[in-house]
Amino acid sequence: MNRITLSVAVFAAAAWLTLSVGVALAADAPTVDEIVQKANYVAYYQGADGKADVRMSIMAKGGSKQNRRFSILRRDLADKDTPDPKFTGEQKFYVYFHEPADVNKMAFLVHKHMDKDDDRWLYLPALDLVKRIASSDKRTSFVGSHFYYEDVSGRNVDADTHELAETTKDYYVLKNTPKDAKSVEFAYYKMWIHKTTFLVVQTSYYDAQDKEYRRYKASGVKQIEGFWTVVKSEMHDLRDGGHTVLEYDSVDYNVGLPDDIFTERYLRQAPMQHLK
Amino acid sequence: MQERSIAGIVALLLLLWACGSSSAQPSLPEGLPPATPPPASQPATQPSGPALPEGLGPPGDQPALPGGLPGGDQPSLPGGLPGGDQPALPGGLAASQPATRPATQPAKTFLQSVKDMGLTGFWETRGGVRTQHPAGQRQASLGETRFQLDWEKHFKGDWTAHVVADFLYDAVDEHHTVDLERGRGWLDLRQANVSFRPLKWLDVRAGRQILTWGTGDLLFINDLFPKDFVSFFLGRDEEYLKVPSDAIKLSAYSDLANLDVVYTPRFDPDRFISGRRLSFFNPLAGRVVGREQTLSSEIPARWFQNDEWAARLYKTIEGYELAAYGYWGYWKSPGGVNPFRGEAIFPRLNVYGGSARGPLLKGIGNVELGYYDSRNDRHGNNPFINNSQFRILGGYEQDLPQIATDLTVSMQYELDVTAHHSRLVRALPPGAPEPDELRHVLTWRVTKKLLNQNLTVGLFVFYSPSDGDAYFRPKVHYKIDDQWSVEVGGNVFVGRENYTLFGQFERDSNVYTALRYGF
């Protein structure tokens, strides 16, 4: 009796301990949706708006190198009167190219949507032409680099199912599987999300044979105006060894960019005061 | 005692099993926030994540430190984490910068100094030959080298000055004296203008400028700004299709709609085909003529009397761009002939139209229409002046990722309707060919980019079933590096008859190649 009672008591105590530790862990660990939401927010939505000067180096497989220099302006379409600190909705981007010569003074405007294709315009100054760009293909190279349009402006989080594959010392490792497998070239991708900052430190894309063929890395991070910011990132094509490095300078948040910057007016007449 | 210790071990094992199987980290030592357990408790087999990037808070036992904190006291990366080159030392970042900075800022090159002055541009050499026996032209269609300088300066108070000048040597052309209006000679002044903002809602650009609006792709209904079809058909860069206007443009913006008004104080015609560089069908001669019989023309040229007005009222609603247009001026290319003097004339023309462009299916759709009011022939019974016309255009463009990346196709259809066709037919001189009432034009564009988008292969086709003619524009463009590019292309005209729009240029069909250095 005594023995049994003791065993039961110990077992009960162990179960209780287990349960309470489990509960405690659950309370501390964010849900998958929270991780996805926070990582998406940190990557694309910090501040009401933002700007950066970007230097892009494209290293092709043969070793040849090309450079691009452009400025990016971004504005979130959150409700201004009741700002939502977790806003991850529609956005507008304005990209102004400085180099190389063949794209100098070109401007690119994107209205990013959640439930339909983005609106994209390209301004060609030599022709004074505002061109509308078809945008159904988001997984195509952005200005010849290893980054896709979707990498630059953000992939819709609802396009994938997310599961927490693993939690390591520093990272939440998410496995993301596309809901529409035919629309993308990957079978799934994994993201290493830094636990304390929710910065995506690495994204690896896998093919159907579970072989990683494409890798994003945040290789430089800085806290700017209180926001953790990737100031250097890389995209590697692991099949041919080519890669692209992005370096962000003059990053600024909450600039107070007016909404009309993201219209045809400023495509034709670049907003130089915001482009340095 | 023994029983107790067994039970205790069982409990402990259960506890360990519970913790381990939850895939959560082991419990945390005191003093550490829960998100980052210490490296010591990491199982050796723990799969490694990526190394923390520079600037991120250090791993392990210093999780709460912001990345900007200095100090060489950061822990090294735990075993199994790749890359000793990413030690995640925020302090080290600061330390390494002074060492690397000078290396990344070499002495300024001459080109960089030029760029810092706001000067950019290119040098280009372009040559082409006709592929058929020419009709009144040289075999060489192009042979020129040009140096473009683009200078833009921004001043305080939203003032901008912009000058683009092409200095060129044209071995095919015999005229080397400068004619800035027709773009002949060794200087082609493309732009020379100032922009400013007198009011918050008003932009002004005054001077020589390139102007474009409308939705067509190489088809123009409401864009009545001057064009250079000679350059276009000879295979110069597409930017030379647009001829600068000497004009003032006012752009007013409001929440209701935006309004552009362009005033050109002296009529700016197209750089039209006169027989000098391209042969054409001369209806008075009844045949294709070239340099032996160039077109003489009467261009209205009095300042402030032979002027042009163009306006566009536009608004974008939910991604759909809507616009209404008006134009008050002249036919931009010869719109008639003076039968007594045999000269091309530029009768008065007003154009009213509208357009819409926006997402359609998986691509972009556009419609545009316009009424060409030929004011010197309002009744439509003067066979020597263009009849009034309705023009309508529909287009669709889409990329095709299902087939290949960076593959875009588009198609357009344009219909031109002669407004008073029966009156025109009745008024024709005997023996004159009867013009069609309807003109249909279809266009296709296919563009594929390869080799990291450095190689662009494209084909643009115009085809008119009513005229029975077609125009093919194949082009291959390759970016060798950030400065150098090469291009090979062609302009191939075919037609049943020698008097239709494209058919008349059949013997001007040509191929060309170009080499460009941009800076």
Side-chain angles (χ1 to χ4, degrees):
Chain A
M1 275 302 278
N2 194 20
R3 202 166 67 187
I4 292 168
T5 312
L6 189 65
S7 298
V8 168
V10 166
F11 189 83
W16 178 82
L17 261 172
T18 310
L19 200 69
S20 58
V21 168
V23 167
L25 283 173
D28 288 326
T31 65
V32 173
D33 283 349
E34 281 168 353
I35 296 169
V36 169
Q37 202 278 340
K38 282 185 178 174
N40 188 34
Y41 175 81
V42 168
Y44 299 103
Y45 289 92
Q46 297 188 117
D49 62 25
K51 59 181 261 188
D53 293 329
V54 184
R55 278 174 294 154
M56 173 186 270
S57 307
I58 306 166
M59 263 67 77
K61 57 182 168 184
S64 67
K65 185 177 168 185
Q66 288 182 314
N67 295 298
R68 311 258 183 276
R69 209 161 58 75
F70 51 89
S71 303
I72 291 191
L73 307 176
R74 178 212 19 121
R75 190 173 185 278
D76 297 350
L77 298 189
D79 192 341
K80 262 178 281 180
D81 300 326
T82 53
D84 174 9
K86 289 177 180 172
F87 177 81
T88 51
E90 304 210 321
Q91 291 179 306
K92 294 177 178 179
F93 294 91
Y94 182 102
V95 182
Y96 183 80
F97 290 91
H98 305 281
E99 285 174 15
D102 64 331
V103 295
N104 178 237
K105 298 191 178 88
M106 278 188 195
F108 181 58
L109 177 63
V110 180
H111 290 179
K112 174 177 155 185
H113 301 296
M114 296 294 110
D115 50 354
K116 56 179 181 178
D117 284 340
D118 298 346
D119 292 314
R120 292 188 201 157
W121 293 264
L122 182 67
Y123 177 66
L124 306 174
L127 287 159
D128 186 40
L129 179 66
V130 175
K131 224 176 137 178
R132 192 77 183 246
I133 308 281
S135 64
S136 64
D137 188 6
K138 294 180 175 66
R139 299 196 68 74
T140 186
S141 161
F142 177 67
V143 296
S145 75
H146 296 87
F147 285 86
Y148 294 155
Y149 279 92
E150 204 165 68
D151 302 317
V152 178
S153 62
R155 179 171 168 81
N156 190 339
V157 296
D158 294 332
D160 305 311
T161 53
H162 314 274
E163 54 187 300
L164 186 62
E166 188 182 348
T167 303
T168 72
K169 180 174 63 63
D170 289 315
Y171 303 107
Y172 299 114
V173 185
L174 289 189
K175 182 181 174 186
N176 312 276
T177 312
K179 288 177 184 167
D180 177 9
K182 272 181 268 175
S183 68
V184 291
E185 86 290 354
F186 56 81
Y188 61 93
Y189 64 100
K190 282 186 176 177
M191 293 163 101
W192 280 260
I193 296 164
H194 187 241
K195 279 180 175 172
T196 47
T197 61
F198 287 91
L199 275 168
V200 178
V201 173
Q202 180 172 321
T203 305
S204 293
Y205 297 84
Y206 298 85
D207 61 19
Q209 285 75 46
D210 289 324
K211 191 168 157 56
E212 182 189 3
Y213 67 92
R214 186 169 185 264
R215 184 188 294 164
Y216 163 87
K217 270 163 73 177
S219 44
V221 170
K222 237 177 166 172
Q223 199 169 24
I224 297 170
E225 296 163 31
F227 299 110
W228 285 102
T229 305
V230 175
V231 293
K232 188 177 179 187
S233 62
E234 300 166 27
M235 187 67 82
H236 292 260
D237 180 338
L238 302 178
R239 286 172 178 156
D240 73 6
H243 64 281
T244 295
V245 178
L246 291 181
E247 289 172 275
Y248 296 80
D249 289 326
S250 317
V251 179
D252 196 3
Y253 293 100
N254 294 319
V255 186
L257 296 173
D259 193 44
D260 69 350
I261 296 274
F262 303 90
T263 63
E264 185 180 329
R265 180 183 196 179
Y266 288 92
L267 268 180
R268 290 180 186 262
Q269 179 81 48
M272 292 318 294
Q273 69 272 29
H274 297 300
L275 300 169
K276 193 168 87 157
Chain B
M1 273 302 283
Q2 201 184 15
E3 287 160 358
R4 279 190 188 187
S5 43
I6 288 170
I9 288 165
V10 167
L12 196 62
L13 284 173
L14 274 170
L15 186 59
L16 282 173
W17 170 79
C19 293
S21 68
S22 74
S23 92
Q25 302 302 304
S27 60
L28 294 168
E30 278 173 57
L32 266 187
T36 50
S41 62
Q42 289 283 109
T45 53
Q46 174 79 37
S48 60
L52 282 172
E54 284 182 51
L56 259 194
D61 57 340
Q62 304 228 346
L65 286 180
L69 274 189
D73 57 341
Q74 312 296 326
S76 58
L77 285 170
L81 279 186
D85 59 332
Q86 304 274 350
L89 286 176
L93 179 63
S96 69
Q97 269 180 347
T100 53
R101 273 263 163 85
T104 58
Q105 287 189 343
K108 268 186 192 173
T109 61
F110 171 72
L111 267 181
Q112 192 56 47
S113 312
V114 167
K115 277 186 207 166
D116 289 350
M117 289 159 63
L119 272 173
T120 55
F122 62 81
W123 165 80
E124 182 193 85
T125 292
R126 194 170 281 259
V129 289
R130 288 185 169 76
T131 51
Q132 300 189 21
H133 184 68
Q137 299 293 337
R138 297 180 179 192
Q139 199 71 44
S141 50
L142 274 179
E144 60 194 36
T145 186
R146 72 172 67 222
F147 182 68
Q148 184 180 86
L149 271 182
D150 182 325
W151 177 76
E152 190 173 52
K153 183 128 180 94
H154 305 280
F155 300 95
K156 272 189 185 151
D158 285 329
W159 282 77
T160 302
H162 193 196
V163 179
V164 181
D166 277 24
F167 303 90
L168 68 151
Y169 175 72
D170 188 334
V172 175
D173 210 311
E174 284 143 1
H175 292 76
H176 299 295
T177 47
V178 173
D179 181 343
L180 290 181
E181 283 301 300
R182 298 186 186 197
R184 291 181 195 161
W186 57 268
L187 173 65
D188 184 6
L189 188 61
R190 305 288 302 166
Q191 299 202 52
N193 58 62
V194 289
S195 310
F196 54 100
R197 180 167 294 175
L199 299 163
K200 223 181 158 185
W201 50 269
L202 183 67
D203 287 345
V204 179
R205 179 169 293 170
R208 178 160 280 218
Q209 55 191 301
I210 304 287
L211 293 161
T212 300
W213 61 41
T215 64
D217 182 9
L218 301 179
L219 292 177
F220 303 94
I221 292 182
N222 290 294
D223 179 335
L224 276 294
F225 302 112
K227 290 162 202 86
D228 183 350
F229 292 106
V230 180
S231 288
F232 187 66
F233 292 155
L234 283 176
R236 291 197 180 108
D237 190 278
E238 222 162 82
E239 84 166 271
Y240 296 98
L241 172 60
K242 296 299 283 195
V243 175
S245 300
D246 295 316
I248 180 164
K249 179 184 182 187
L250 305 176
S251 303
Y253 302 91
S254 75
D255 291 338
L256 202 63
N258 305 316
L259 177 68
D260 286 334
V261 176
V262 178
Y263 178 65
T264 307
R266 190 173 71 154
F267 173 54
D268 278 322
D270 290 342
R271 292 176 182 173
F272 54 92
I273 289 146
S274 67
R276 239 168 44 80
R277 293 296 293 271
L278 287 164
S279 300
F280 69 103
F281 182 81
N282 184 329
L284 295 179
R287 63 184 176 89
V288 172
V289 298
R291 291 189 302 165
E292 79 283 0
Q293 197 179 336
T294 58
L295 189 68
S296 52
S297 51
E298 299 167 23
I299 299 172
R302 279 171 301 170
W303 285 91
F304 302 106
Q305 291 186 31
N306 301 127
D307 53 4
E308 297 173 275
W309 288 91
R312 175 176 66 135
L313 186 70
Y314 66 101
K315 185 176 178 66
T316 302
I317 300 169
E318 296 288 315
Y320 292 89
E321 303 160 71
L322 309 175
Y325 309 85
Y327 171 77
W328 299 264
Y330 302 85
W331 288 90
K332 304 293 290 190
S333 281
V337 287
N338 179 329
F340 306 106
R341 296 164 64 178
E343 285 182 341
I345 56 170
F346 296 80
R348 289 197 158 269
L349 173 71
N350 292 355
V351 179
Y352 313 98
S355 71
R357 178 167 68 177
L360 178 69
L361 305 174
K362 289 245 130 208
I364 304 294
N366 64 291
V367 287
E368 186 165 342
L369 47 91
Y371 178 67
Y372 278 54
D373 176 12
S374 192
R375 287 172 55 206
N376 292 120
D377 182 25
R378 278 212 157 130
H379 299 292
N381 52 9
N382 185 339
F384 300 107
I385 291 179
N386 282 0
N387 216 287
S388 296
Q389 285 180 336
F390 293 99
R391 295 188 182 184
I392 183 159
L393 162 75
Y396 179 71
E397 177 179 305
Q398 189 193 317
D399 39 25
L400 292 172
Q402 312 87 319
I403 297 173
T405 55
D406 290 323
L407 174 66
T408 309
V409 294
S410 69
M411 188 179 153
Q412 299 179 108
Y413 168 70
E414 182 181 329
L415 174 66
D416 300 347
V417 182
T418 307
H420 308 289
H421 185 255
S422 51
R423 285 185 211 163
L424 171 64
V425 169
R426 278 200 298 275
L428 283 175
E434 184 180 314
D436 291 333
E437 183 180 5
L438 305 178
R439 180 168 180 270
H440 308 265
V441 181
L442 289 153
T443 77
W444 293 270
R445 186 195 278 279
V446 183
T447 309
K448 167 78 180 135
K449 291 183 174 179
L450 302 128
L451 305 176
N452 295 332
Q453 298 182 353
N454 288 317
L455 179 65
T456 306
V457 180
L459 175 66
F460 195 99
V461 180
F462 295 85
Y463 166 61
S464 172
S466 49
D467 283 358
D469 61 0
Y471 171 30
F472 298 83
R473 285 173 62 83
K475 189 165 111 173
V476 177
H477 182 97
Y478 180 62
K479 280 187 224 173
I480 300 166
D481 58 25
D482 285 340
Q483 278 81 40
W484 291 95
S485 61
V486 286
E487 183 173 299
V488 177
N491 295 279
V492 179
F493 302 90
V494 291
R496 233 175 11 232
E497 310 290 348
N498 67 352
Y499 56 81
T500 57
L501 180 62
F502 300 125
Q504 64 184 319
F505 303 123
E506 193 162 275
R507 284 162 72 183
D508 280 314
S509 293
N510 60 78
V511 292
Y512 63 88
T513 182
L515 175 68
R516 183 183 280 216
Y517 178 86
F519 61 89

